[in-house]
Amino acid sequence: MLRQFIRTFLNNKYSAYLTAGIFLLLSILLGTSIGTVNVPIPTIIKIIEAKLFGFVSLERIDPMFINIVLDIRLPRVILSGLVGAALAVAGAAFQGLLRNPLADPYTLGVSSGASVGAVITLFFQLSIPFIGSFTLPFVSIVFSLVTIVFVLVFARKMERSMRVETIILTGIIFSSFLGALISLMIALTGDELRQIISWLLGSVSMRGWEYIKIILPFLIIGSVILMMNAKELNAMSFGEEKAQNLGVNIQSRKLMILISGSILTGASVAVSGTIGFVGLVIPHMARLCWGPDHKHLLPLSILTGSGFLIIADLISRTIISPTELPIGVITALIGAPVFAIILLQRKRKERSG
């Protein structure tokens, strides 16, 4: 009886959005509240209300709490939430497009491209006039976009129809090559080694509101384009031939989805470094709970991916406090076993089939 109730509850789309929304809200409150100095949740709510609406006076609230919430915790929580949302929705789109639950935003080598841009900036200490400290995220985004262009052009040269298998193979080739470049630059690095390694492991620490402004437009644009292609993703998840028979323009839709997912991934890497497995774990779990319909899977992945990375960041900065772990370490510790379980399930299905 209880199992049937839970299944019915999860299959209801309204309850799915309610569950995901509550999870995200609790994640934001916990992420903002817990730390070296714990801030009471009612105080957090009052500070946010005062900042947004001006209904509450901040005079009776400890200035230390206000500074912690507005200048340190809240921007970090929001940034980690935006990064998690971007990676999760991109992962859901790639898995639907490539018809492979093991696919994630890094399949096409976009993450490696963005990482190369970051490492080059750190290695040569580049600083572009007029943007100064934003040189690092700017160069990372440019390299991610350049990488996807090269991947698509090379895949089209190999095969004009740009089949899924060809795109995956091309992405692996570019990812391996770019990974070798990163290793070479790290081997040649001196004092910048710690900074580069820290970036590659992923972090949202001390990024501030400026980085939120960087990723937010890319998140909105990429997510909207993907959601506009939800029907096409549903069709293509059954195979390109069936989708074409249903009237889907395979080439143009595939291109839009690939570029949108890559922009989301590149923007995420630009502001937080390399954070793996979010795009793999979250869409897979959302699909298991709420089904494969991309009309709902994409927005639900945004909500749950955002909450997941906020919790992962909370764990990374509190588990061995005052030392802070890179957030990529936490997502890898969670994601690697899930990846292995998914792989084993696929192998069992193949053997039984």
Side-chain angles (χ1 to χ4, degrees), residues 89-101 103-104 107-108 148 152 161-165 167-168 226 229-230 232-240 243 248-262 287 292 294 297-298:
V89 71
F94 283 137
Q95 288 175 9
L97 177 65
L98 303 178
R99 304 189 303 280
N100 191 333
D104 73 352
T107 303
L108 299 178
I148 186 58
L152 294 176
S161 62
M162 286 173 48
R163 287 189 306 159
V164 170
E165 293 83 359
I167 295 173
I168 292 177
L226 290 180
N229 288 276
E232 287 74 15
L233 274 170
N234 285 339
M236 284 188 281
S237 63
F238 293 102
E240 294 181 11
V248 177
N249 188 330
I250 297 296
Q251 299 304 319
S252 63
R253 296 293 180 173
K254 187 188 296 183
L255 190 64
M256 290 175 65
I257 293 166
L258 287 172
I259 291 177
S260 300
S262 299
R287 192 179 291 106
H294 287 84
L297 179 62
L298 295 177

CSV table of all heavy atoms in Angstrom, one decimal, residues 89-101 103-104 107-108 148 152 161-165 167-168 226 229-230 232-240 243 248-262 287 292 294 297-298:
chain,number,residue,atom,x,y,z
A,89,VAL,N,20.5,20.2,-16.7
A,89,VAL,CA,19.6,20.3,-17.9
A,89,VAL,C,20.4,20.0,-19.2
A,89,VAL,O,19.8,19.4,-20.1
A,89,VAL,CB,18.9,21.7,-18.0
A,89,VAL,CG1,19.9,22.8,-18.4
A,89,VAL,CG2,17.8,21.7,-19.0
A,90,ALA,N,21.6,20.4,-19.2
A,90,ALA,CA,22.5,20.0,-20.4
A,90,ALA,C,22.6,18.5,-20.4
A,90,ALA,O,22.5,17.9,-21.5
A,90,ALA,CB,23.8,20.7,-20.3
A,91,GLY,N,22.8,17.9,-19.3
A,91,GLY,CA,23.0,16.4,-19.2
A,91,GLY,C,21.7,15.7,-19.7
A,91,GLY,O,21.8,14.7,-20.4
A,92,ALA,N,20.5,16.2,-19.2
A,92,ALA,CA,19.3,15.6,-19.7
A,92,ALA,C,19.1,15.7,-21.2
A,92,ALA,O,18.6,14.7,-21.8
A,92,ALA,CB,18.1,16.3,-18.9
A,93,ALA,N,19.5,16.8,-21.7
A,93,ALA,CA,19.3,17.0,-23.2
A,93,ALA,C,20.3,16.1,-23.9
A,93,ALA,O,19.9,15.5,-24.9
A,93,ALA,CB,19.6,18.5,-23.5
A,94,PHE,N,21.5,16.0,-23.5
A,94,PHE,CA,22.5,15.1,-24.2
A,94,PHE,C,22.1,13.7,-24.1
A,94,PHE,O,22.3,12.9,-25.0
A,94,PHE,CB,23.9,15.3,-23.6
A,94,PHE,CG,24.6,16.6,-24.0
A,94,PHE,CD1,25.3,17.4,-23.1
A,94,PHE,CD2,24.5,17.0,-25.4
A,94,PHE,CE1,25.9,18.5,-23.5
A,94,PHE,CE2,25.2,18.1,-25.8
A,94,PHE,CZ,25.9,18.9,-24.9
A,95,GLN,N,21.6,13.2,-22.9
A,95,GLN,CA,21.2,11.9,-22.8
A,95,GLN,C,20.0,11.5,-23.7
A,95,GLN,O,19.9,10.4,-24.3
A,95,GLN,CB,20.8,11.6,-21.3
A,95,GLN,CG,22.0,11.5,-20.4
A,95,GLN,CD,21.7,11.4,-18.9
A,95,GLN,OE1,20.5,11.1,-18.6
A,95,GLN,NE2,22.7,11.5,-18.1
A,96,GLY,N,19.1,12.5,-23.8
A,96,GLY,CA,17.9,12.3,-24.7
A,96,GLY,C,18.4,12.3,-26.2
A,96,GLY,O,18.0,11.4,-27.0
A,97,LEU,N,19.3,13.2,-26.5
A,97,LEU,CA,19.7,13.3,-27.9
A,97,LEU,C,20.6,12.1,-28.3
A,97,LEU,O,20.4,11.5,-29.4
A,97,LEU,CB,20.6,14.5,-28.1
A,97,LEU,CG,21.2,14.8,-29.5
A,97,LEU,CD1,20.1,15.0,-30.5
A,97,LEU,CD2,22.1,16.0,-29.4
A,98,LEU,N,21.5,11.7,-27.4
A,98,LEU,CA,22.4,10.6,-27.7
A,98,LEU,C,21.8,9.2,-27.4
A,98,LEU,O,22.5,8.2,-27.6
A,98,LEU,CB,23.7,10.8,-27.0
A,98,LEU,CG,24.5,12.1,-27.3
A,98,LEU,CD1,25.7,12.2,-26.4
A,98,LEU,CD2,24.8,12.2,-28.7
A,99,ARG,N,20.6,9.2,-26.8
A,99,ARG,CA,19.9,8.0,-26.4
A,99,ARG,C,20.8,7.1,-25.5
A,99,ARG,O,20.9,5.9,-25.8
A,99,ARG,CB,19.5,7.2,-27.6
A,99,ARG,CG,18.6,8.0,-28.6
A,99,ARG,CD,18.0,7.2,-29.7
A,99,ARG,NE,19.0,6.5,-30.5
A,99,ARG,CZ,19.7,7.1,-31.4
A,99,ARG,NH1,19.5,8.3,-31.7
A,99,ARG,NH2,20.5,6.4,-32.1
A,100,ASN,N,21.5,7.7,-24.6
A,100,ASN,CA,22.4,7.0,-23.8
A,100,ASN,C,22.4,7.6,-22.4
A,100,ASN,O,22.8,8.8,-22.2
A,100,ASN,CB,23.9,7.1,-24.4
A,100,ASN,CG,24.9,6.2,-23.7
A,100,ASN,OD1,24.7,5.8,-22.6
A,100,ASN,ND2,25.9,5.8,-24.5
A,101,PRO,N,22.0,6.8,-21.3
A,101,PRO,CA,22.0,7.4,-20.0
A,101,PRO,C,23.4,7.6,-19.4
A,101,PRO,O,23.5,8.2,-18.3
A,101,PRO,CB,21.3,6.3,-19.2
A,101,PRO,CG,21.5,5.0,-20.0
A,101,PRO,CD,21.5,5.4,-21.4
A,103,ALA,N,25.6,9.4,-21.0
A,103,ALA,CA,26.1,10.6,-21.6
A,103,ALA,C,25.9,11.8,-20.6
A,103,ALA,O,25.0,11.7,-19.8
A,103,ALA,CB,25.3,11.0,-22.9
A,104,ASP,N,26.8,12.7,-20.7
A,104,ASP,CA,26.7,13.9,-19.8
A,104,ASP,C,27.3,15.1,-20.5
A,104,ASP,O,27.8,15.0,-21.7
A,104,ASP,CB,27.3,13.7,-18.4
A,104,ASP,CG,28.8,13.7,-18.5
A,104,ASP,OD1,29.4,13.7,-19.6
A,104,ASP,OD2,29.4,13.6,-17.4
A,107,THR,N,30.6,14.8,-22.7
A,107,THR,CA,30.8,13.8,-23.7
A,107,THR,C,31.5,14.4,-25.0
A,107,THR,O,32.3,13.8,-25.6
A,107,THR,CB,29.5,13.2,-24.1
A,107,THR,OG1,28.9,12.6,-23.0
A,107,THR,CG2,29.6,12.1,-25.2
A,108,LEU,N,31.1,15.7,-25.2
A,108,LEU,CA,31.6,16.3,-26.5
A,108,LEU,C,32.9,17.0,-26.3
A,108,LEU,O,33.4,17.7,-27.2
A,108,LEU,CB,30.5,17.3,-27.0
A,108,LEU,CG,29.2,16.7,-27.3
A,108,LEU,CD1,28.2,17.7,-27.8
A,108,LEU,CD2,29.3,15.6,-28.4
A,148,ILE,N,33.1,23.2,-29.4
A,148,ILE,CA,31.9,22.6,-30.0
A,148,ILE,C,31.9,22.8,-31.5
A,148,ILE,O,31.4,21.9,-32.2
A,148,ILE,CB,30.6,23.0,-29.3
A,148,ILE,CG1,29.4,22.2,-29.8
A,148,ILE,CG2,30.4,24.5,-29.5
A,148,ILE,CD1,29.5,20.8,-29.6
A,152,LEU,N,31.7,19.7,-34.1
A,152,LEU,CA,30.6,19.6,-35.1
A,152,LEU,C,31.2,19.6,-36.5
A,152,LEU,O,30.8,18.8,-37.3
A,152,LEU,CB,29.6,20.7,-34.9
A,152,LEU,CG,28.8,20.7,-33.6
A,152,LEU,CD1,27.9,21.9,-33.5
A,152,LEU,CD2,28.0,19.4,-33.5
A,161,SER,N,25.8,13.1,-42.3
A,161,SER,CA,24.6,12.9,-41.6
A,161,SER,C,24.8,13.2,-40.1
A,161,SER,O,23.8,13.4,-39.3
A,161,SER,CB,24.0,11.5,-41.7
A,161,SER,OG,24.9,10.5,-41.2
A,162,MET,N,26.1,13.2,-39.6
A,162,MET,CA,26.4,13.5,-38.2
A,162,MET,C,25.6,12.6,-37.3
A,162,MET,O,24.9,13.0,-36.4
A,162,MET,CB,26.2,15.0,-37.9
A,162,MET,CG,27.2,15.9,-38.5
A,162,MET,SD,26.8,17.7,-38.2
A,162,MET,CE,26.4,17.8,-36.5
A,163,ARG,N,25.8,11.3,-37.5
A,163,ARG,CA,25.1,10.3,-36.6
A,163,ARG,C,25.6,10.5,-35.1
A,163,ARG,O,26.7,11.0,-34.9
A,163,ARG,CB,25.4,8.9,-37.1
A,163,ARG,CG,24.6,8.5,-38.3
A,163,ARG,CD,24.7,7.0,-38.6
A,163,ARG,NE,26.1,6.6,-38.6
A,163,ARG,CZ,26.5,5.4,-38.5
A,163,ARG,NH1,25.6,4.4,-38.2
A,163,ARG,NH2,27.8,5.1,-38.5
A,164,VAL,N,24.8,10.0,-34.2
A,164,VAL,CA,25.2,10.1,-32.8
A,164,VAL,C,26.5,9.5,-32.5
A,164,VAL,O,27.3,10.0,-31.8
A,164,VAL,CB,24.1,9.5,-31.9
A,164,VAL,CG1,24.5,9.3,-30.5
A,164,VAL,CG2,22.8,10.3,-32.0
A,165,GLU,N,26.7,8.3,-33.1
A,165,GLU,CA,28.0,7.6,-32.8
A,165,GLU,C,29.2,8.4,-33.3
A,165,GLU,O,30.3,8.4,-32.6
A,165,GLU,CB,28.0,6.2,-33.5
A,165,GLU,CG,27.0,5.2,-33.0
A,165,GLU,CD,25.6,5.4,-33.5
A,165,GLU,OE1,25.4,6.4,-34.4
A,165,GLU,OE2,24.7,4.7,-33.2
A,167,ILE,N,29.4,11.7,-33.5
A,167,ILE,CA,29.6,12.9,-32.6
A,167,ILE,C,30.2,12.5,-31.3
A,167,ILE,O,31.1,13.1,-30.8
A,167,ILE,CB,28.2,13.5,-32.3
A,167,ILE,CG1,27.6,14.1,-33.6
A,167,ILE,CG2,28.3,14.6,-31.3
A,167,ILE,CD1,26.2,14.6,-33.5
A,168,ILE,N,29.8,11.3,-30.8
A,168,ILE,CA,30.4,10.8,-29.5
A,168,ILE,C,31.9,10.5,-29.7
A,168,ILE,O,32.8,10.9,-28.9
A,168,ILE,CB,29.7,9.6,-29.0
A,168,ILE,CG1,28.3,9.9,-28.5
A,168,ILE,CG2,30.5,8.9,-27.9
A,168,ILE,CD1,27.5,8.8,-28.1
A,226,LEU,N,16.5,24.7,-25.1
A,226,LEU,CA,16.3,23.2,-24.9
A,226,LEU,C,14.8,22.9,-24.6
A,226,LEU,O,14.3,21.9,-25.2
A,226,LEU,CB,17.2,22.7,-23.7
A,226,LEU,CG,18.7,22.7,-24.0
A,226,LEU,CD1,19.4,22.2,-22.8
A,226,LEU,CD2,19.0,21.8,-25.2
A,229,ASN,N,12.7,22.7,-27.5
A,229,ASN,CA,13.0,21.4,-28.3
A,229,ASN,C,12.6,20.2,-27.6
A,229,ASN,O,13.1,19.1,-27.9
A,229,ASN,CB,14.5,21.4,-28.8
A,229,ASN,CG,14.8,22.4,-29.8
A,229,ASN,OD1,14.6,22.2,-31.0
A,229,ASN,ND2,15.3,23.6,-29.4
A,230,ALA,N,11.8,20.3,-26.5
A,230,ALA,CA,11.4,19.1,-25.7
A,230,ALA,C,10.7,18.0,-26.5
A,230,ALA,O,11.0,16.9,-26.4
A,230,ALA,CB,10.6,19.6,-24.5
A,232,GLU,N,10.9,17.5,-29.7
A,232,GLU,CA,11.9,16.9,-30.6
A,232,GLU,C,12.9,16.0,-29.9
A,232,GLU,O,13.2,14.9,-30.4
A,232,GLU,CB,12.7,18.0,-31.3
A,232,GLU,CG,12.0,18.8,-32.4
A,232,GLU,CD,10.9,19.8,-31.8
A,232,GLU,OE1,11.0,20.1,-30.6
A,232,GLU,OE2,10.1,20.2,-32.6
A,233,LEU,N,13.2,16.3,-28.7
A,233,LEU,CA,14.0,15.4,-27.9
A,233,LEU,C,13.3,14.1,-27.6
A,233,LEU,O,13.9,13.0,-27.6
A,233,LEU,CB,14.4,16.1,-26.6
A,233,LEU,CG,15.7,17.0,-26.6
A,233,LEU,CD1,15.8,17.8,-25.3
A,233,LEU,CD2,17.0,16.1,-26.8
A,234,ASN,N,12.0,14.2,-27.3
A,234,ASN,CA,11.2,13.0,-27.1
A,234,ASN,C,11.2,12.1,-28.3
A,234,ASN,O,11.3,10.9,-28.2
A,234,ASN,CB,9.8,13.4,-26.7
A,234,ASN,CG,9.6,13.9,-25.3
A,234,ASN,OD1,10.5,13.6,-24.4
A,234,ASN,ND2,8.6,14.7,-25.0
A,235,ALA,N,11.1,12.8,-29.5
A,235,ALA,CA,11.1,12.0,-30.7
A,235,ALA,C,12.4,11.4,-31.0
A,235,ALA,O,12.5,10.2,-31.4
A,235,ALA,CB,10.6,12.9,-31.9
A,236,MET,N,13.5,12.2,-30.8
A,236,MET,CA,14.8,11.7,-31.1
A,236,MET,C,15.3,10.6,-30.1
A,236,MET,O,16.2,9.8,-30.5
A,236,MET,CB,15.8,12.8,-31.2
A,236,MET,CG,15.7,13.6,-32.5
A,236,MET,SD,17.0,14.9,-32.7
A,236,MET,CE,16.4,16.2,-31.6
A,237,SER,N,14.7,10.6,-29.0
A,237,SER,CA,15.1,9.5,-28.0
A,237,SER,C,14.7,8.1,-28.4
A,237,SER,O,15.2,7.2,-27.9
A,237,SER,CB,14.5,9.8,-26.6
A,237,SER,OG,13.1,9.8,-26.7
A,238,PHE,N,13.8,8.1,-29.4
A,238,PHE,CA,13.4,6.8,-30.0
A,238,PHE,C,14.2,6.4,-31.3
A,238,PHE,O,13.9,5.4,-31.9
A,238,PHE,CB,11.9,6.8,-30.3
A,238,PHE,CG,11.0,6.8,-29.1
A,238,PHE,CD1,10.4,8.0,-28.7
A,238,PHE,CD2,10.8,5.7,-28.3
A,238,PHE,CE1,9.6,8.1,-27.6
A,238,PHE,CE2,10.1,5.8,-27.2
A,238,PHE,CZ,9.5,6.9,-26.8
A,239,GLY,N,15.1,7.3,-31.7
A,239,GLY,CA,15.9,7.1,-32.8
A,239,GLY,C,15.7,8.2,-33.9
A,239,GLY,O,14.6,8.7,-34.0
A,240,GLU,N,16.7,8.4,-34.6
A,240,GLU,CA,16.7,9.5,-35.6
A,240,GLU,C,15.7,9.2,-36.8
A,240,GLU,O,15.1,10.1,-37.3
A,240,GLU,CB,18.1,9.8,-36.1
A,240,GLU,CG,19.0,10.4,-35.1
A,240,GLU,CD,20.4,10.7,-35.6
A,240,GLU,OE1,20.6,10.7,-36.8
A,240,GLU,OE2,21.3,11.0,-34.8
A,243,ALA,N,12.2,9.8,-35.6
A,243,ALA,CA,12.0,11.2,-35.4
A,243,ALA,C,11.8,11.9,-36.8
A,243,ALA,O,10.9,12.8,-37.0
A,243,ALA,CB,13.1,11.8,-34.7
A,248,VAL,N,10.5,15.7,-37.8
A,248,VAL,CA,11.5,16.5,-37.1
A,248,VAL,C,12.7,16.7,-38.1
A,248,VAL,O,13.2,15.8,-38.7
A,248,VAL,CB,12.0,15.7,-35.9
A,248,VAL,CG1,13.1,16.5,-35.2
A,248,VAL,CG2,10.8,15.5,-34.9
A,249,ASN,N,13.1,18.0,-38.1
A,249,ASN,CA,14.3,18.3,-38.9
A,249,ASN,C,15.5,18.0,-38.1
A,249,ASN,O,15.9,18.7,-37.2
A,249,ASN,CB,14.3,19.8,-39.2
A,249,ASN,CG,15.4,20.2,-40.2
A,249,ASN,OD1,16.5,19.6,-40.2
A,249,ASN,ND2,15.2,21.3,-41.0
A,250,ILE,N,16.0,16.8,-38.3
A,250,ILE,CA,17.1,16.2,-37.5
A,250,ILE,C,18.3,17.1,-37.4
A,250,ILE,O,18.8,17.4,-36.3
A,250,ILE,CB,17.4,14.8,-37.9
A,250,ILE,CG1,16.3,13.8,-37.9
A,250,ILE,CG2,18.6,14.2,-37.1
A,250,ILE,CD1,15.8,13.6,-36.5
A,251,GLN,N,18.8,17.5,-38.5
A,251,GLN,CA,20.1,18.2,-38.5
A,251,GLN,C,20.0,19.6,-37.7
A,251,GLN,O,20.9,19.8,-36.9
A,251,GLN,CB,20.5,18.5,-40.0
A,251,GLN,CG,20.7,17.3,-40.8
A,251,GLN,CD,21.7,16.3,-40.2
A,251,GLN,OE1,22.7,16.7,-39.7
A,251,GLN,NE2,21.5,15.0,-40.2
A,252,SER,N,19.0,20.4,-38.0
A,252,SER,CA,18.9,21.7,-37.4
A,252,SER,C,18.6,21.5,-35.9
A,252,SER,O,19.2,22.2,-35.1
A,252,SER,CB,17.8,22.5,-38.0
A,252,SER,OG,16.5,21.9,-37.9
A,253,ARG,N,17.7,20.6,-35.5
A,253,ARG,CA,17.4,20.4,-34.1
A,253,ARG,C,18.6,19.9,-33.3
A,253,ARG,O,18.8,20.3,-32.2
A,253,ARG,CB,16.2,19.5,-34.0
A,253,ARG,CG,14.9,20.0,-34.6
A,253,ARG,CD,14.4,21.2,-33.8
A,253,ARG,NE,13.1,21.7,-34.3
A,253,ARG,CZ,12.4,22.7,-33.8
A,253,ARG,NH1,12.8,23.3,-32.7
A,253,ARG,NH2,11.3,23.1,-34.4
A,254,LYS,N,19.3,18.9,-33.9
A,254,LYS,CA,20.4,18.4,-33.3
A,254,LYS,C,21.5,19.5,-33.0
A,254,LYS,O,22.1,19.5,-32.0
A,254,LYS,CB,21.0,17.3,-34.2
A,254,LYS,CG,22.2,16.5,-33.5
A,254,LYS,CD,22.8,15.5,-34.5
A,254,LYS,CE,21.9,14.5,-35.0
A,254,LYS,NZ,22.6,13.5,-35.9
A,255,LEU,N,21.7,20.3,-34.0
A,255,LEU,CA,22.6,21.4,-33.9
A,255,LEU,C,22.2,22.4,-32.8
A,255,LEU,O,23.1,22.8,-32.0
A,255,LEU,CB,22.7,22.1,-35.2
A,255,LEU,CG,23.9,23.2,-35.4
A,255,LEU,CD1,25.2,22.5,-35.3
A,255,LEU,CD2,23.7,23.9,-36.7
A,256,MET,N,21.0,22.7,-32.7
A,256,MET,CA,20.5,23.6,-31.7
A,256,MET,C,20.7,23.0,-30.3
A,256,MET,O,21.1,23.7,-29.3
A,256,MET,CB,19.0,23.9,-31.9
A,256,MET,CG,18.7,24.8,-33.1
A,256,MET,SD,17.0,25.0,-33.4
A,256,MET,CE,16.5,25.9,-31.9
A,257,ILE,N,20.4,21.8,-30.1
A,257,ILE,CA,20.5,21.1,-28.8
A,257,ILE,C,22.0,21.0,-28.4
A,257,ILE,O,22.3,21.2,-27.3
A,257,ILE,CB,19.8,19.7,-28.9
A,257,ILE,CG1,18.3,19.8,-29.0
A,257,ILE,CG2,20.1,18.9,-27.6
A,257,ILE,CD1,17.6,18.6,-29.4
A,258,LEU,N,22.8,20.6,-29.4
A,258,LEU,CA,24.2,20.5,-29.1
A,258,LEU,C,24.9,21.8,-28.6
A,258,LEU,O,25.6,21.9,-27.7
A,258,LEU,CB,25.0,19.9,-30.3
A,258,LEU,CG,24.8,18.4,-30.6
A,258,LEU,CD1,25.4,18.1,-31.9
A,258,LEU,CD2,25.3,17.5,-29.4
A,259,ILE,N,24.6,22.9,-29.4
A,259,ILE,CA,25.1,24.2,-29.1
A,259,ILE,C,24.6,24.7,-27.8
A,259,ILE,O,25.3,25.2,-26.9
A,259,ILE,CB,24.8,25.2,-30.2
A,259,ILE,CG1,25.6,24.8,-31.5
A,259,ILE,CG2,25.2,26.6,-29.8
A,259,ILE,CD1,25.4,25.6,-32.7
A,260,SER,N,23.3,24.5,-27.5
A,260,SER,CA,22.7,25.0,-26.3
A,260,SER,C,23.3,24.3,-25.1
A,260,SER,O,23.6,24.9,-24.1
A,260,SER,CB,21.2,24.8,-26.3
A,260,SER,OG,20.6,25.5,-27.4
A,261,GLY,N,23.4,23.0,-25.2
A,261,GLY,CA,24.0,22.2,-24.1
A,261,GLY,C,25.4,22.6,-23.8
A,261,GLY,O,25.9,22.6,-22.7
A,262,SER,N,26.1,22.8,-24.9
A,262,SER,CA,27.5,23.2,-24.8
A,262,SER,C,27.7,24.6,-24.2
A,262,SER,O,28.7,24.8,-23.4
A,262,SER,CB,28.2,23.1,-26.2
A,262,SER,OG,28.1,21.8,-26.7
A,287,ARG,N,14.7,10.9,-14.3
A,287,ARG,CA,14.1,10.0,-15.2
A,287,ARG,C,13.5,8.8,-14.6
A,287,ARG,O,12.4,8.4,-14.9
A,287,ARG,CB,15.1,9.6,-16.3
A,287,ARG,CG,14.4,9.0,-17.6
A,287,ARG,CD,15.4,8.6,-18.6
A,287,ARG,NE,16.0,9.8,-19.2
A,287,ARG,CZ,17.2,10.3,-19.0
A,287,ARG,NH1,18.0,9.7,-18.2
A,287,ARG,NH2,17.6,11.4,-19.6
A,292,PRO,N,10.5,9.8,-18.7
A,292,PRO,CA,11.4,10.3,-19.7
A,292,PRO,C,10.9,11.5,-20.5
A,292,PRO,O,11.6,11.9,-21.4
A,292,PRO,CB,11.7,9.1,-20.6
A,292,PRO,CG,10.4,8.3,-20.6
A,292,PRO,CD,9.8,8.6,-19.2
A,294,HIS,N,10.6,14.8,-21.8
A,294,HIS,CA,11.5,16.0,-21.7
A,294,HIS,C,10.8,17.3,-21.4
A,294,HIS,O,11.4,18.2,-20.9
A,294,HIS,CB,12.4,16.1,-22.9
A,294,HIS,CG,13.4,15.1,-23.1
A,294,HIS,ND1,13.2,13.8,-23.6
A,294,HIS,CD2,14.7,15.1,-22.7
A,294,HIS,CE1,14.3,13.1,-23.6
A,294,HIS,NE2,15.2,13.8,-23.0
A,297,LEU,N,11.0,16.5,-17.8
A,297,LEU,CA,12.4,16.1,-17.3
A,297,LEU,C,13.3,17.3,-17.3
A,297,LEU,O,14.1,17.4,-16.4
A,297,LEU,CB,12.9,15.0,-18.3
A,297,LEU,CG,14.3,14.5,-17.9
A,297,LEU,CD1,14.3,13.8,-16.6
A,297,LEU,CD2,14.8,13.5,-19.0
A,298,LEU,N,13.3,18.2,-18.3
A,298,LEU,CA,14.2,19.3,-18.3
A,298,LEU,C,14.0,20.3,-17.2
A,298,LEU,O,15.0,20.5,-16.4
A,298,LEU,CB,14.1,20.0,-19.7
A,298,LEU,CG,14.5,19.2,-20.9
A,298,LEU,CD1,14.3,20.1,-22.2
A,298,LEU,CD2,16.0,18.8,-20.8
